Amino acid sequence: MDPADERPDLILVVDDDADIARFVEFNLRLHGFEVIHAGDGQEALEMIERQRPDLAVVDLMMPRVDGLELTRRLRADPMTSALPVIMLTAKGMTVDKVHGLSAGADDYLVKPFDTAELVARVSSTLRRNKEFREVSPLTGLPGNSRIRREISDRVRSGVDYAVGYVDIDRFKSVNDRYGFVRGDEFISALARSLHRAVVAIGLPPAFLGHVGGDDFVIVCAPDQVRPLTSRAVVDFETAADKLYDPSDAARGYVELKDRRGNIRRAALVTLSIGVSVSDAGKRLINPLDAIAVASEMKSVAKSQPGSYVAVDRRRSLS
């Protein structure tokens, strides 16, 4: 695990009312957050530049630079544009909430507020922001941290689950033949095929994440594995055929030159999918173990011709 994931989130409280600031700081610290305090927006800007907090709780009405102006400045600076902001206001007027959200605030709290609401809003805003930052810019799908959390949630709920690790066979040949821009089109096509398959299998909802490159992870119920992967394979192979130059697609392979100028043939892309399956919560309770077993099975799938789904036979699919 990245050491950065282990440190407490740092919350900046910006309020000129010392009593309110102390109340917020005390309760956030009580729930495991680190907290720093600024008395107004100008001081907050200086502290943000030095300490890079994970979230700011900002009072609307302050001297010098108020909460609205502070939020606007944060959103205008590329270095702070993604910093989540929760606006505090003593007024319950809708117009103040609208102004705060229009300035770029992520959420708001109306004073007086209770401790549970404060902590819940801080926690949910942080979670949403982390998930947004993890999203792959190419596919729009969540990344590694969200994948691990999805598996952990299923373990905690006690349901059986399966993890599928998916990648494209001979993907390098596509990049070598056509360049990375066309290669990205193959990755996007796989993301769309997997998404369509996830939607098609219905409930319970399956989860789809993008590890990076041409690697994807599916988390679903064990009995959803076969219909989901079968549909995804057919859909992707159809889409991939249309991404090749017509001459390459017609003959069923691409020709590539090695460093010595020799021509070699690379078959068209297919999919390898490795699957690990939980056993009533007795095994695979660690998300990393579940992903590792699925990755191991993906290597088995790659040893087979064509698109192939390899399931860990130490557990059975229902």
Side-chain angles (χ1 to χ4, degrees):
M1 180 178 290
D2 187 334
D5 293 338
E6 298 176 357
R7 72 167 178 81
D9 288 305
L10 178 63
I11 312 298
L12 169 63
V13 178
V14 190
D15 200 319
D16 61 324
D17 186 324
D19 290 335
I20 292 289
R22 278 196 294 269
F23 171 80
V24 173
E25 178 175 357
F26 174 79
N27 285 287
L28 290 178
R29 286 188 181 278
L30 201 62
H31 286 81
F33 298 103
E34 289 187 4
V35 184
I36 53 178
H37 172 234
D40 59 46
Q42 185 59 48
E43 185 183 355
L45 288 169
E46 296 165 2
M47 295 184 74
I48 289 168
E49 186 173 352
R50 293 195 308 269
Q51 302 201 48
R52 298 294 175 194
D54 297 292
L55 178 145
V57 178
V58 177
D59 189 33
L60 177 65
M61 305 297 294
M62 293 183 294
R64 293 204 292 175
V65 177
D66 66 14
L68 290 178
E69 179 60 22
L70 170 60
T71 304
R72 290 192 187 102
R73 292 192 192 182
L74 293 174
R75 293 296 174 255
D77 184 343
M79 295 300 292
T80 58
S81 61
L83 176 68
V85 173
I86 297 178
M87 191 76 73
L88 296 181
T89 174
K91 304 173 184 177
M93 293 174 60
T94 301
V95 67
D96 290 317
K97 302 170 187 174
V98 170
H99 285 161
L101 295 172
S102 297
D106 297 86
D107 204 347
Y108 62 86
L109 270 170
V110 178
K111 295 186 283 188
F113 48 83
D114 62 30
T115 302
E117 184 179 15
L118 168 68
V119 173
R121 288 188 182 270
V122 167
S123 298
S124 63
T125 301
L126 281 169
R127 184 177 64 251
R128 286 197 306 270
N129 186 256
K130 287 174 182 175
E131 290 179 0
F132 175 78
R133 288 204 310 265
E134 296 173 351
V135 164
S136 162
L138 176 61
T139 63
L141 295 172
N144 291 310
S145 297
R146 180 65 182 85
I147 292 169
R148 293 197 299 268
R149 191 156 61 250
E150 177 68 23
I151 299 172
S152 295
D153 288 347
R154 296 197 181 219
V155 170
R156 279 196 297 272
S157 69
V159 299
D160 286 342
Y161 67 92
V163 175
Y165 202 126
V166 186
D167 86 353
I168 302 174
D169 302 317
R170 295 172 297 283
F171 176 65
K172 185 177 183 299
S173 69
V174 170
N175 277 337
D176 290 347
R177 174 71 175 86
Y178 301 121
F180 70 89
V181 174
R182 185 88 65 94
D184 282 353
E185 292 179 8
F186 278 79
I187 293 173
S188 296
L190 176 54
R192 289 191 296 270
S193 295
L194 290 169
H195 183 261
R196 283 192 287 265
V198 162
V199 171
I201 61 168
L203 300 176
F207 170 86
L208 175 60
H210 188 186
V211 176
D214 62 321
D215 290 346
F216 292 79
V217 167
I218 303 163
V219 185
C220 62
D223 61 1
Q224 293 175 321
V225 169
R226 296 205 183 281
L228 194 162
T229 56
S230 297
R231 185 183 183 97
V233 164
V234 172
D235 193 313
F236 172 72
E237 289 185 350
T238 302
D241 285 348
K242 297 175 183 177
L243 294 175
Y244 282 99
D245 285 355
S247 57
D248 292 336
R251 67 180 174 225
Y253 61 87
V254 295
E255 292 184 339
L256 303 168
K257 282 187 179 181
D258 63 21
R259 293 179 181 178
R260 297 181 179 180
N262 299 317
I263 301 293
R264 66 178 180 86
R265 294 178 178 180
L268 304 186
V269 295
T270 51
L271 294 183
S272 284
I273 305 176
V275 180
S276 60
V277 185
S278 71
D279 183 16
K282 296 176 184 176
R283 303 179 70 181
L284 295 180
I285 60 174
N286 185 324
L288 295 179
D289 289 343
I291 294 170
V293 172
S295 181
E296 176 188 340
M297 298 312 299
K298 185 190 70 174
S299 297
V300 173
K302 281 194 171 295
S303 68
Q304 304 298 318
S307 291
Y308 195 88
V309 181
V311 179
D312 181 9
R313 294 301 177 188
R314 289 165 290 186
R315 301 162 189 82
S316 60
L317 290 178
S318 56

